[in-house]
Each structure stands twice: as structure tokens, then as C-alpha cells.
Amino acid sequence: LNPRYLKLNDLKISGGFRLIAWREGIRCGLNQPLTGFGAIELKNVYRAFGPCKGPPPHDVIDPNEAHCDYITWFMKAGIIGLATYLAFWVCTIWHLTKASRLVDGIDGILIFAITAGSVSSLTYGCTSSFWWNNKSAPFVLFLVGVALAMTSQCESPKRSPV
């Protein structure tokens, strides 16, 4: 097992810093829970609500980001924005999963692969900021758009019953 997972509260290991950034991000977000703080840099949000407490000897830390897409959405867009973000992805992945079963051949495989890639990027967002600090995020959205366009004519099953 990777040592960084054994001591999650140790700031010498990145996991400890992430836990503090998450805790403090949620604490800051609860000050504007409905709509969030908007598109300002997160380090300014963190600083506005006092120092982030860390374990000794690092009594104060200064995070630049939340290290979690979902906490970032909560801090920037509030519960409304986070719920909209999650609803978009749940509906999109549900539609693509359903459609990948209805499309035969390479198109169905491509739709399934794009769906799996989307789920992968959402999983990565649990411990890092994929959508906020990544130059490849627009490309992922482009691929999702391509997959949705491929499924736009999907109304009835094309496969014969077995």
C-alpha cells in the first residue's frame, strides 16, 4: 500500500494536505451555501475566512485549491451549482450507458468508451481538480458531445432479440 494512504493527517504526505483543504473548503462553502462565492480564486476564499488550521508544526496552511472538484463546485457555485453539475453528469452517463447498448458495432463501443472515460474523469475529481485546472477537460466535454450526437437518433433497439 502506498505510504501516502497510511497517514492521511501527515502534512509531509499530500493526503494530509488534501484532508485539511477539503475540511476548510467545506467550512468556507458553508458561509455561502446556496450560491457559493462565484468565479474567484479559491485561495482568496480560504483567506477571507481565517487561517486554515493544520496539525503542529504546520499550524497554518495556505491552500490554493480544494483538491476536489465537488468541493470546488460547492465553494464556487453553492449547493445549486453542485446539484446542477451532478445532475448533468448523472443524466449524461445514464443516457450514454443506455444508448451504448442500443447501438451496434464500433459506434456502440465508441460510446461505451467515452462513457467510461467520463466516469474516470469524475472519479479522478474526487481527489484532485480535473475540471478546474486541466487543459484536457474541454476535450473530454467535446468527446461527450460527440457521443451524445451519435446517440441522438437512438430511439428503439436495433439488435434482434436473443
Side-chain angles (χ1 to χ4, degrees), residues 1-157:
L1 189 65
N2 191 324
R4 70 186 247 181
Y5 299 117
L6 297 176
K7 296 181 180 178
L8 289 177
N9 63 346
D10 186 357
L11 284 181
K12 294 176 187 171
I13 302 170
S14 66
F17 185 80
R18 279 189 171 88
L19 287 177
I20 294 168
W22 296 345
R23 181 191 68 212
E24 296 298 318
I26 291 169
R27 181 179 66 89
C28 292
L30 289 173
N31 287 287
Q32 289 270 63
L34 197 58
T35 58
F37 292 97
I40 65 174
E41 290 187 42
L42 290 185
K43 65 181 172 183
N44 295 330
V45 175
Y46 281 114
R47 289 177 184 160
F49 291 99
C52 295
K53 303 289 184 192
H58 307 280
D59 293 331
V60 177
I61 61 170
D62 191 18
N64 290 325
E65 61 176 301
H67 289 282
C68 175
D69 279 338
Y70 308 104
I71 295 173
T72 302
W73 274 100
F74 176 60
M75 289 176 71
K76 289 189 174 208
I79 293 170
I80 294 172
L82 177 61
T84 303
Y85 173 75
L86 293 174
F88 168 78
W89 280 109
V90 166
C91 291
T92 299
I93 290 170
W94 177 77
H95 175 74
L96 291 176
T97 302
K98 182 178 164 188
S100 70
R101 295 184 202 139
L102 302 176
V103 178
D104 286 329
I106 193 74
D107 290 346
I109 294 169
L110 179 62
I111 292 168
F112 180 78
I114 291 172
T115 305
S118 300
V119 170
S120 172
S121 67
L122 292 172
T123 304
Y124 178 76
C126 290
T127 60
S128 193
S129 295
F130 179 80
W131 294 105
W132 295 99
N133 299 326
N134 193 334
K135 289 181 175 46
S136 62
F139 184 68
V140 172
L141 288 177
F142 169 75
L143 290 178
V144 168
V146 168
L148 288 172
M150 291 173 67
T151 64
S152 65
Q153 302 301 318
C154 244
E155 292 181 19
S156 61

